[in-house]
Amino acid sequence: MHKQNYQDILALVQAPTRYTGNEINAVKKDFETIDLTFALVFPDLYEIGTSHFGLQILYSILNSKKNIAAERFFAPAPDMEALMVSKNVPCLSMESQTQLDLFDIIGISLLYELNFTNILTVFKLSNIPFYAEQRSDTFPLIIGGGPCAFNPEPLADFFDAFVIGDGENACVEISEKVIAFKQQGDGKKKTLLKMLSKIAGVYVPSFFDVSYDGNGVPMVSPFYEDYTSVKRAFLPALTRELFPMSPIVPFGKPVHDRLRLEIARGCSRGCRFCQAGMIYRPVRERPLEDLVSITKESLKNTGYSDVSLLSLSTGDYSDLPELMEQLLGINRGYCNAISLPSIRAEKLTPQLMNIIKKVRKTGFTIAPEAGSQRMRDIINKNLTEESIAATVENAFELGWKNIKLYFMMGLPFEAVADIDAIVTLSQKIAFAYAKGNKNINVSATTFIPKAHTPFQRCAQISLDQTKEKLQYLKDNLKHRKVKLKWQDPEMSRVEGVWARGDRRLSGLLVSAFEKGCRLDGWSDKFDVLKWNAAFDETGIDPEFYTTRVRDEKEILPWDHIDSGVSPNFFAMEFEKAKDRALTPDCRENDCTGCGVCDFKTIEPVLNDVLTIGSTPGSSSIDTFKRLPDEAFQKFDITFSKLDQARFFGHLELATLVRRAVKRAGLIVKFSQGFNPSMKLSFDNALPVGMESEGERLFIYLDRSLATRTIQDKLNGQLPDGITIPVCDRFQKNKKRDDGRSVYTIRFAGADLDKEKINDFLNMSSFMVEDRSKKGKIRKTDLRKSVVKISILTAQTIEFVLQKVEQRTIRPIEILSSVFKLDEDTILTARIKKKKQG
């Protein structure tokens, strides 16, 4: 396979470690020894996609097969995309820098409608034709999966196939079929698609025709009698074997920089607006003993300190108190924190409250969804105002400082009084409980009807109505402890079009992309003018997809996709919504008849409710015994930061060193207090992009450790480019250098004029002004900082610099201030700090 790299452009972009790869636990395989290559594409920025648990699952499962290599791709940021276009560099995988179009299978995560233009970005950069019918049989198989695949029709023209439902087994079955086809098939993609259509959950859009009636309503009809609908793939139980025990530890600032622990899948509460609550049924809980053992192993494999409990309704987990107690007991003293995003008041038993008091607090969200009890009954939210208030009160008492209340505008049967009730409820809670440093954030978004829900036929409120309701909240929700946030109504409108769209939208997506729409899910990137121009150009009326009510006889674009929940149940729930009739939670009551369970292979998987300490092995938790201060010693460690590692920022470097220490199993000293930190410090903070042969860090470790042991263990856990050549016990009076630093600078194109160098060296001073971190203007004589400049080759020079009035001067400052080199020339230069002595 032809290999390229981003080497020449990474220095010119923000956050270059989005693209470098080389993360801890990334899997690299020799393509010559495997039978199938599988590209996993997340069509959003690295910091979003690398945190996604579904991507971690598929990556782990596929790479557990010796004959399959799975590698990752993410959407580039605009600055990176522009450089890729100008330099003619295609999308390259994080692991081996292989072009996307050279993979056998391209699997794309479909999580959010406003990510759809990013799919075309990746295609365009990879020279992949947008439309499936335009791609020859030699192109990779392109499949999509995720919640948006439950209405695959808006993207049907771009994909060869979709996976509907749980993907753990489907991804392996698809891979096996493709391997067999490569070895024995006739080379025609249609033959392969026929094979794939036999797999549970696989939808092949080209095997269905679409026509439109006089009102423009689409009708999807099958070409084959034995393939008329596609039923969602089900995973009967969440097993330990399918859990990603060694997830990739990302660089940069991912949105969820902690261990993601899926404790359950599915939700049985039955909120009538919630697509996830319908399409992920039934509830399947992981066994408690599996979760504890998974956490122990995963913390060791990653070096994480924090754990996030992942579920649609975390508070409903049967063994939550026992789980929390056991997780907090793992390596106690290694500052494990558990992210507990929300707990209903009725679940906050005294036992659980005592445990939560020990947890370091992050965010806490309560989702009343509606301000009035009438609306909460209509949507089957099953929350009372008393319960909401009690949850807020308990959360503040347990130590949370900020609480988010989440509401929707435009729910079915909503009246003006229901919007006013959002104001009333929020203010009432703020007046009662938001005291001192406690605050409440109110989030208001537009209700967007989704496929496979009881409200799937309802109208979305118009743009004008949304703006009017939002303005009412802005004008009336006034309280110094309440901050109102909202989603751009224009974004909600576009999302609503795609949520219930059909195949006619393919031209809209191409038009929006060609007009420059990118990263539409980011409020600062969303451009409504470009989207409106795309609507006009393609003749697509957004209101046809958003504000129009679908009557009960209308065939919906997704009716051939079987989510497992019966259409009759949706219709029944809609009628109950009209009557404000509640449907109870089937985990605690009788079966509600949604149709998902056959009670043979598909049924709820719930744990027995246990008391603390009753779980087998719970008494033998690996607790960490804190050593006394005299048991630790300060160590002086020299490390290099070379090649791709030069793109680590200082905070990234500090984080990856801390995690390397934990993975290495070294006993390290922590500070005291509720949020202890590792006793680790650095001598200097190198600028991003600069290499160094000899930086220093200081850390307090168990004094009984041999320096060579520390060196070897850390080197085994650090990423490529960071190496520890020296580890010593710290000596207070030991002089390590003479205060001077030597740098070599290799330019990519331009070089420094020898005459300009001599002119500068002949100066008695060269004064510059800047502002210190405290904002004070300071003057510095750069000439005093330069001891020597040597020309080594035509494009390589050497600086010897020294501190001026205790200020460290970097070569970049000399190059820009003295020699007036432009930013790109400086950024693309390879600057390396030489090892002292």
Side-chain angles (χ1 to χ4, degrees), residues 634-666:
K634 188 175 182 180
F635 287 83
D636 185 344
I637 294 175
T638 300
F639 67 95
S640 61
K641 184 170 174 274
L642 304 172
D643 300 321
Q644 295 283 60
R646 72 186 188 277
F647 295 119
F648 291 132
H650 183 66
L651 294 178
E652 284 180 90
L653 178 65
T655 297
L656 69 87
V657 169
R658 283 194 293 267
R659 289 175 179 164
V661 170
K662 296 190 74 172
R663 288 193 303 273
L666 299 174

mmCIF file of all heavy atoms in Angstrom, residues 634-666:
data_model
loop_
_atom_site.group_PDB
_atom_site.id
_atom_site.type_symbol
_atom_site.label_atom_id
_atom_site.label_comp_id
_atom_site.label_asym_id
_atom_site.label_seq_id
_atom_site.Cartn_x
_atom_site.Cartn_y
_atom_site.Cartn_z
ATOM 1 N N LYS A 634 12.631 12.331 46.054
ATOM 2 C CA LYS A 634 12.536 13.090 44.814
ATOM 3 C C LYS A 634 13.546 12.541 43.808
ATOM 4 O O LYS A 634 14.719 12.364 44.121
ATOM 5 C CB LYS A 634 12.811 14.567 45.086
ATOM 6 C CG LYS A 634 12.568 15.498 43.906
ATOM 7 C CD LYS A 634 12.760 16.948 44.337
ATOM 8 C CE LYS A 634 12.480 17.908 43.194
ATOM 9 N NZ LYS A 634 12.665 19.330 43.618
ATOM 10 N N PHE A 635 13.057 12.272 42.586
ATOM 11 C CA PHE A 635 13.924 11.766 41.525
ATOM 12 C C PHE A 635 14.027 12.806 40.415
ATOM 13 O O PHE A 635 13.068 13.518 40.101
ATOM 14 C CB PHE A 635 13.378 10.450 40.956
ATOM 15 C CG PHE A 635 13.552 9.281 41.884
ATOM 16 C CD1 PHE A 635 12.643 9.042 42.904
ATOM 17 C CD2 PHE A 635 14.634 8.422 41.755
ATOM 18 C CE1 PHE A 635 12.800 7.970 43.766
ATOM 19 C CE2 PHE A 635 14.806 7.345 42.618
ATOM 20 C CZ PHE A 635 13.888 7.119 43.626
ATOM 21 N N ASP A 636 15.196 12.889 39.828
ATOM 22 C CA ASP A 636 15.534 13.843 38.772
ATOM 23 C C ASP A 636 15.644 13.054 37.462
ATOM 24 O O ASP A 636 16.568 12.246 37.290
ATOM 25 C CB ASP A 636 16.861 14.520 39.136
ATOM 26 C CG ASP A 636 17.237 15.627 38.168
ATOM 27 O OD1 ASP A 636 16.663 15.689 37.070
ATOM 28 O OD2 ASP A 636 18.126 16.426 38.512
ATOM 29 N N ILE A 637 14.730 13.272 36.552
ATOM 30 C CA ILE A 637 14.642 12.461 35.338
ATOM 31 C C ILE A 637 14.872 13.333 34.105
ATOM 32 O O ILE A 637 14.254 14.385 33.942
ATOM 33 C CB ILE A 637 13.266 11.766 35.248
ATOM 34 C CG1 ILE A 637 13.130 10.747 36.385
ATOM 35 C CG2 ILE A 637 13.065 11.095 33.894
ATOM 36 C CD1 ILE A 637 11.757 10.091 36.461
ATOM 37 N N THR A 638 15.786 12.898 33.247
ATOM 38 C CA THR A 638 16.039 13.554 31.969
ATOM 39 C C THR A 638 15.309 12.791 30.868
ATOM 40 O O THR A 638 15.357 11.560 30.817
ATOM 41 C CB THR A 638 17.546 13.568 31.657
ATOM 42 O OG1 THR A 638 18.234 14.281 32.693
ATOM 43 C CG2 THR A 638 17.818 14.239 30.321
ATOM 44 N N PHE A 639 14.616 13.536 29.999
ATOM 45 C CA PHE A 639 13.896 12.872 28.908
ATOM 46 C C PHE A 639 14.062 13.655 27.607
ATOM 47 O O PHE A 639 14.310 14.861 27.609
ATOM 48 C CB PHE A 639 12.410 12.733 29.250
ATOM 49 C CG PHE A 639 11.660 14.037 29.340
ATOM 50 C CD1 PHE A 639 10.963 14.546 28.254
ATOM 51 C CD2 PHE A 639 11.644 14.763 30.532
ATOM 52 C CE1 PHE A 639 10.280 15.748 28.349
ATOM 53 C CE2 PHE A 639 10.956 15.968 30.633
ATOM 54 C CZ PHE A 639 10.276 16.465 29.530
ATOM 55 N N SER A 640 13.941 12.943 26.510
ATOM 56 C CA SER A 640 13.980 13.579 25.197
ATOM 57 C C SER A 640 12.567 13.699 24.655
ATOM 58 O O SER A 640 11.675 12.924 25.003
ATOM 59 C CB SER A 640 14.841 12.755 24.232
ATOM 60 O OG SER A 640 14.283 11.458 24.068
ATOM 61 N N LYS A 641 12.356 14.667 23.770
ATOM 62 C CA LYS A 641 11.054 14.924 23.154
ATOM 63 C C LYS A 641 11.314 15.225 21.678
ATOM 64 O O LYS A 641 11.570 16.355 21.279
ATOM 65 C CB LYS A 641 10.396 16.101 23.874
ATOM 66 C CG LYS A 641 8.995 16.467 23.437
ATOM 67 C CD LYS A 641 8.413 17.480 24.425
ATOM 68 C CE LYS A 641 7.062 18.019 23.992
ATOM 69 N NZ LYS A 641 7.196 19.171 23.078
ATOM 70 N N LEU A 642 11.238 14.158 20.868
ATOM 71 C CA LEU A 642 11.707 14.242 19.493
ATOM 72 C C LEU A 642 10.628 13.805 18.501
ATOM 73 O O LEU A 642 9.634 13.187 18.857
ATOM 74 C CB LEU A 642 12.954 13.371 19.312
ATOM 75 C CG LEU A 642 14.128 13.655 20.253
ATOM 76 C CD1 LEU A 642 15.210 12.597 20.093
ATOM 77 C CD2 LEU A 642 14.697 15.054 19.983
ATOM 78 N N ASP A 643 10.865 14.144 17.228
ATOM 79 C CA ASP A 643 10.003 13.737 16.107
ATOM 80 C C ASP A 643 8.553 14.148 16.367
ATOM 81 O O ASP A 643 8.296 15.292 16.707
ATOM 82 C CB ASP A 643 10.150 12.237 15.858
ATOM 83 C CG ASP A 643 11.587 11.853 15.522
ATOM 84 O OD1 ASP A 643 12.230 12.623 14.794
ATOM 85 O OD2 ASP A 643 12.065 10.820 16.000
ATOM 86 N N GLN A 644 7.595 13.204 16.223
ATOM 87 C CA GLN A 644 6.183 13.566 16.379
ATOM 88 C C GLN A 644 5.867 14.051 17.785
ATOM 89 O O GLN A 644 4.904 14.801 17.989
ATOM 90 C CB GLN A 644 5.294 12.355 16.046
ATOM 91 C CG GLN A 644 5.365 11.878 14.594
ATOM 92 C CD GLN A 644 4.584 12.763 13.651
ATOM 93 O OE1 GLN A 644 4.862 13.952 13.540
ATOM 94 N NE2 GLN A 644 3.608 12.195 12.972
ATOM 95 N N ALA A 645 6.655 13.638 18.763
ATOM 96 C CA ALA A 645 6.402 14.055 20.144
ATOM 97 C C ALA A 645 6.601 15.556 20.332
ATOM 98 O O ALA A 645 6.155 16.122 21.344
ATOM 99 C CB ALA A 645 7.318 13.289 21.098
ATOM 100 N N ARG A 646 7.241 16.212 19.370
ATOM 101 C CA ARG A 646 7.442 17.661 19.498
ATOM 102 C C ARG A 646 6.125 18.427 19.457
ATOM 103 O O ARG A 646 6.061 19.592 19.864
ATOM 104 C CB ARG A 646 8.379 18.169 18.401
ATOM 105 C CG ARG A 646 7.788 18.204 16.994
ATOM 106 C CD ARG A 646 8.880 18.583 15.984
ATOM 107 N NE ARG A 646 8.377 18.834 14.636
ATOM 108 C CZ ARG A 646 8.135 17.896 13.735
ATOM 109 N NH1 ARG A 646 8.336 16.608 14.049
ATOM 110 N NH2 ARG A 646 7.704 18.214 12.532
ATOM 111 N N PHE A 647 5.066 17.774 18.992
ATOM 112 C CA PHE A 647 3.766 18.449 18.886
ATOM 113 C C PHE A 647 2.962 18.393 20.183
ATOM 114 O O PHE A 647 1.871 18.954 20.244
ATOM 115 C CB PHE A 647 2.965 17.864 17.734
ATOM 116 C CG PHE A 647 3.575 18.108 16.378
ATOM 117 C CD1 PHE A 647 3.956 17.056 15.571
ATOM 118 C CD2 PHE A 647 3.800 19.396 15.934
ATOM 119 C CE1 PHE A 647 4.523 17.274 14.333
ATOM 120 C CE2 PHE A 647 4.373 19.639 14.694
ATOM 121 C CZ PHE A 647 4.743 18.568 13.892
ATOM 122 N N PHE A 648 3.479 17.731 21.197
ATOM 123 C CA PHE A 648 2.776 17.733 22.479
ATOM 124 C C PHE A 648 2.895 19.099 23.133
ATOM 125 O O PHE A 648 3.993 19.646 23.277
ATOM 126 C CB PHE A 648 3.368 16.691 23.441
ATOM 127 C CG PHE A 648 3.124 15.267 23.037
ATOM 128 C CD1 PHE A 648 4.157 14.353 23.020
ATOM 129 C CD2 PHE A 648 1.857 14.839 22.679
ATOM 130 C CE1 PHE A 648 3.946 13.045 22.656
ATOM 131 C CE2 PHE A 648 1.634 13.529 22.310
ATOM 132 C CZ PHE A 648 2.668 12.623 22.295
ATOM 133 N N GLY A 649 1.750 19.652 23.555
ATOM 134 C CA GLY A 649 1.797 20.835 24.382
ATOM 135 C C GLY A 649 2.228 20.447 25.783
ATOM 136 O O GLY A 649 2.270 19.259 26.144
ATOM 137 N N HIS A 650 2.539 21.431 26.605
ATOM 138 C CA HIS A 650 3.060 21.117 27.941
ATOM 139 C C HIS A 650 2.026 20.389 28.796
ATOM 140 O O HIS A 650 2.361 19.445 29.518
ATOM 141 C CB HIS A 650 3.520 22.395 28.643
ATOM 142 C CG HIS A 650 4.127 22.148 29.986
ATOM 143 N ND1 HIS A 650 5.322 21.469 30.151
ATOM 144 C CD2 HIS A 650 3.687 22.448 31.241
ATOM 145 C CE1 HIS A 650 5.600 21.380 31.441
ATOM 146 N NE2 HIS A 650 4.628 21.958 32.120
ATOM 147 N N LEU A 651 0.754 20.814 28.723
ATOM 148 C CA LEU A 651 -0.275 20.142 29.512
ATOM 149 C C LEU A 651 -0.487 18.708 29.032
ATOM 150 O O LEU A 651 -0.708 17.796 29.846
ATOM 151 C CB LEU A 651 -1.583 20.932 29.450
ATOM 152 C CG LEU A 651 -1.562 22.310 30.111
ATOM 153 C CD1 LEU A 651 -2.917 23.014 29.939
ATOM 154 C CD2 LEU A 651 -1.213 22.197 31.595
ATOM 155 N N GLU A 652 -0.439 18.498 27.715
ATOM 156 C CA GLU A 652 -0.535 17.142 27.180
ATOM 157 C C GLU A 652 0.604 16.279 27.707
ATOM 158 O O GLU A 652 0.400 15.125 28.102
ATOM 159 C CB GLU A 652 -0.471 17.161 25.654
ATOM 160 C CG GLU A 652 -1.711 17.607 24.947
ATOM 161 C CD GLU A 652 -1.525 17.584 23.438
ATOM 162 O OE1 GLU A 652 -1.806 16.541 22.831
ATOM 163 O OE2 GLU A 652 -1.097 18.610 22.874
ATOM 164 N N LEU A 653 1.812 16.855 27.689
ATOM 165 C CA LEU A 653 2.992 16.125 28.146
ATOM 166 C C LEU A 653 2.842 15.733 29.615
ATOM 167 O O LEU A 653 3.120 14.584 29.991
ATOM 168 C CB LEU A 653 4.245 16.986 27.945
ATOM 169 C CG LEU A 653 5.568 16.381 28.418
ATOM 170 C CD1 LEU A 653 5.922 15.147 27.596
ATOM 171 C CD2 LEU A 653 6.685 17.417 28.335
ATOM 172 N N ALA A 654 2.403 16.667 30.434
ATOM 173 C CA ALA A 654 2.251 16.378 31.855
ATOM 174 C C ALA A 654 1.220 15.270 32.078
ATOM 175 O O ALA A 654 1.423 14.364 32.897
ATOM 176 C CB ALA A 654 1.838 17.641 32.606
ATOM 177 N N THR A 655 0.133 15.311 31.327
ATOM 178 C CA THR A 655 -0.917 14.297 31.470
ATOM 179 C C THR A 655 -0.403 12.928 31.058
ATOM 180 O O THR A 655 -0.634 11.930 31.748
ATOM 181 C CB THR A 655 -2.142 14.677 30.619
ATOM 182 O OG1 THR A 655 -2.684 15.904 31.114
ATOM 183 C CG2 THR A 655 -3.213 13.604 30.699
ATOM 184 N N LEU A 656 0.294 12.851 29.926
ATOM 185 C CA LEU A 656 0.740 11.532 29.470
ATOM 186 C C LEU A 656 1.840 10.956 30.377
ATOM 187 O O LEU A 656 1.936 9.736 30.541
ATOM 188 C CB LEU A 656 1.170 11.569 28.005
ATOM 189 C CG LEU A 656 2.430 12.318 27.582
ATOM 190 C CD1 LEU A 656 3.667 11.442 27.688
ATOM 191 C CD2 LEU A 656 2.273 12.779 26.120
ATOM 192 N N VAL A 657 2.633 11.836 31.009
ATOM 193 C CA VAL A 657 3.635 11.338 31.957
ATOM 194 C C VAL A 657 2.944 10.792 33.203
ATOM 195 O O VAL A 657 3.301 9.720 33.707
ATOM 196 C CB VAL A 657 4.648 12.450 32.325
ATOM 197 C CG1 VAL A 657 5.518 12.010 33.511
ATOM 198 C CG2 VAL A 657 5.536 12.777 31.137
ATOM 199 N N ARG A 658 1.949 11.506 33.709
ATOM 200 C CA ARG A 658 1.222 11.015 34.882
ATOM 201 C C ARG A 658 0.599 9.647 34.608
ATOM 202 O O ARG A 658 0.654 8.740 35.450
ATOM 203 C CB ARG A 658 0.135 12.020 35.286
ATOM 204 C CG ARG A 658 0.636 13.238 36.030
ATOM 205 C CD ARG A 658 -0.493 14.009 36.689
ATOM 206 N NE ARG A 658 -1.365 14.610 35.697
ATOM 207 C CZ ARG A 658 -1.216 15.865 35.225
ATOM 208 N NH1 ARG A 658 -0.220 16.606 35.668
ATOM 209 N NH2 ARG A 658 -2.065 16.345 34.344
ATOM 210 N N ARG A 659 0.015 9.502 33.442
ATOM 211 C CA ARG A 659 -0.622 8.221 33.120
ATOM 212 C C ARG A 659 0.410 7.124 32.878
ATOM 213 O O ARG A 659 0.164 5.958 33.182
ATOM 214 C CB ARG A 659 -1.537 8.400 31.901
ATOM 215 C CG ARG A 659 -2.771 9.216 32.276
ATOM 216 C CD ARG A 659 -3.653 9.544 31.102
ATOM 217 N NE ARG A 659 -4.814 10.293 31.564
ATOM 218 C CZ ARG A 659 -5.613 10.989 30.785
ATOM 219 N NH1 ARG A 659 -5.392 11.040 29.477
ATOM 220 N NH2 ARG A 659 -6.652 11.644 31.298
ATOM 221 N N ALA A 660 1.557 7.475 32.357
ATOM 222 C CA ALA A 660 2.625 6.490 32.183
ATOM 223 C C ALA A 660 3.105 5.986 33.543
ATOM 224 O O ALA A 660 3.373 4.793 33.720
ATOM 225 C CB ALA A 660 3.789 7.105 31.396
ATOM 226 N N VAL A 661 3.209 6.896 34.514
ATOM 227 C CA VAL A 661 3.609 6.507 35.868
ATOM 228 C C VAL A 661 2.623 5.500 36.440
ATOM 229 O O VAL A 661 3.002 4.487 37.045
ATOM 230 C CB VAL A 661 3.714 7.759 36.774
ATOM 231 C CG1 VAL A 661 3.888 7.341 38.238
ATOM 232 C CG2 VAL A 661 4.878 8.635 36.339
ATOM 233 N N LYS A 662 1.334 5.737 36.230
ATOM 234 C CA LYS A 662 0.316 4.837 36.780
ATOM 235 C C LYS A 662 0.331 3.495 36.053
ATOM 236 O O LYS A 662 0.207 2.442 36.680
ATOM 237 C CB LYS A 662 -1.056 5.494 36.690
ATOM 238 C CG LYS A 662 -1.173 6.755 37.542
ATOM 239 C CD LYS A 662 -2.591 7.270 37.631
ATOM 240 C CE LYS A 662 -3.417 6.389 38.549
ATOM 241 N NZ LYS A 662 -4.761 6.963 38.812
ATOM 242 N N ARG A 663 0.460 3.527 34.726
ATOM 243 C CA ARG A 663 0.516 2.254 33.995
ATOM 244 C C ARG A 663 1.747 1.443 34.369
ATOM 245 O O ARG A 663 1.716 0.208 34.382
ATOM 246 C CB ARG A 663 0.517 2.505 32.479
ATOM 247 C CG ARG A 663 -0.809 2.968 31.921
ATOM 248 C CD ARG A 663 -0.815 2.896 30.402
ATOM 249 N NE ARG A 663 0.267 3.668 29.802
ATOM 250 C CZ ARG A 663 0.201 4.957 29.512
ATOM 251 N NH1 ARG A 663 -0.902 5.639 29.765
ATOM 252 N NH2 ARG A 663 1.231 5.573 28.960
ATOM 253 N N ALA A 664 2.832 2.145 34.675
ATOM 254 C CA ALA A 664 4.071 1.461 35.050
ATOM 255 C C ALA A 664 3.990 0.838 36.438
ATOM 256 O O ALA A 664 4.852 0.040 36.819
ATOM 257 C CB ALA A 664 5.243 2.445 34.988
ATOM 258 N N GLY A 665 2.954 1.189 37.194
ATOM 259 C CA GLY A 665 2.787 0.613 38.527
ATOM 260 C C GLY A 665 3.730 1.185 39.564
ATOM 261 O O GLY A 665 3.951 0.568 40.613
ATOM 262 N N LEU A 666 4.272 2.373 39.315
ATOM 263 C CA LEU A 666 5.195 2.991 40.267
ATOM 264 C C LEU A 666 4.408 3.610 41.422
ATOM 265 O O LEU A 666 3.348 4.209 41.220
ATOM 266 C CB LEU A 666 6.028 4.067 39.570
ATOM 267 C CG LEU A 666 6.915 3.589 38.410
ATOM 268 C CD1 LEU A 666 7.575 4.769 37.716
ATOM 269 C CD2 LEU A 666 7.969 2.599 38.910
#
